[in-house]
Amino acid sequence: MRKFVLNIVIVLISFSFLSLSYAGDELEPKETELNLFTGVFDFSDHNQKGQIFGLQHQNDDLFRESFLGRLSPITGGWITGNKSVYLYTGAQAEYDLGFLTITPSFGPGFYNAGDAKDLGSPLEFKTEVQMSFNLSDSTEFGMSYNHISNAGLGDKNPGANSYMINFLKQF
């Protein structure tokens, strides 16, 4: 637990320095958002759970307004303490409620189990919901929950549930 808290502190300090270095750029439009996150991978399986570290990129220039909300493409990946790797691309919707933003997303991706749970297929689908609070015009802090599964396309389909703490920065 101490290691997890230490990693969160390191992430927050790192992004605080980024926030200070871009503080004078408030008049320029923000086009890119980076989401750095850490948390617990596969928390519902006590024999397989492990720490997760990841990064997600979202380009605001490519958003589209639709009946589902403000949609934009995302690309990202993570690695766990059990050496599993997941790389994905997909789309997210964004619902800005003032100081709070709700962001559901979906994306297919490539999963390599490493020493973690075999999810039955290298093709896995990630569904996620994130809730973040606006700290400034270009910085958010939040939490997210996701589930990855192969939708029954693999030999087996145990799935994995994860929760993360997110730090989002727009540039």
Side-chain angles (χ1 to χ4, degrees), residues 3-13 38 51 141 165:
K3 186 176 179 183
F4 178 71
V5 172
L6 178 62
N7 287 327
I8 291 171
V9 170
I10 290 171
V11 167
L12 293 176
I13 290 171
T38 186
Q51 198 162 16
F141 181 74
I165 294 174

Side-chain angles (χ1 to χ4, degrees), residues 36-161:
L36 186 64
F37 55 89
T38 186
V40 179
F41 174 74
D42 204 11
F43 70 86
S44 54
D45 185 345
H46 296 291
N47 295 326
Q48 294 292 325
K49 72 179 178 180
Q51 198 162 16
I52 186 172
F53 299 96
L55 179 69
Q56 178 176 290
H57 172 263
Q58 181 254 342
N59 188 333
D60 210 30
D61 257 359
L62 302 176
F63 83 92
R64 298 289 180 261
E65 294 290 345
S66 79
F67 68 95
L68 296 173
R70 183 182 174 103
L71 298 177
S72 63
I74 55 171
T75 304
W78 71 60
I79 187 166
T80 70
N82 297 334
K83 301 177 191 159
S84 68
V85 175
Y86 183 64
L87 303 172
Y88 61 92
T89 189
Q92 73 178 19
E94 192 174 296
Y95 304 102
D96 189 358
L97 306 174
F99 72 95
L100 177 69
T101 304
I102 306 293
T103 311
S105 65
F106 173 79
F110 170 77
Y111 176 75
N112 182 311
D115 294 335
K117 183 191 286 185
D118 177 10
L119 296 178
S121 170
L123 174 63
E124 298 289 328
F125 300 93
K126 177 182 77 75
T127 54
E128 181 170 290
V129 64
Q130 175 180 292
M131 182 176 62
S132 55
F133 297 96
N134 298 333
L135 299 177
S136 72
D137 287 344
S138 62
T139 307
E140 297 178 35
F141 181 74
M143 292 189 68
S144 59
Y145 165 83
N146 74 38
H147 175 77
I148 62 172
S149 165
N150 64 38
L153 299 174
D155 300 335
K156 56 184 178 175
N157 187 21
N161 301 303

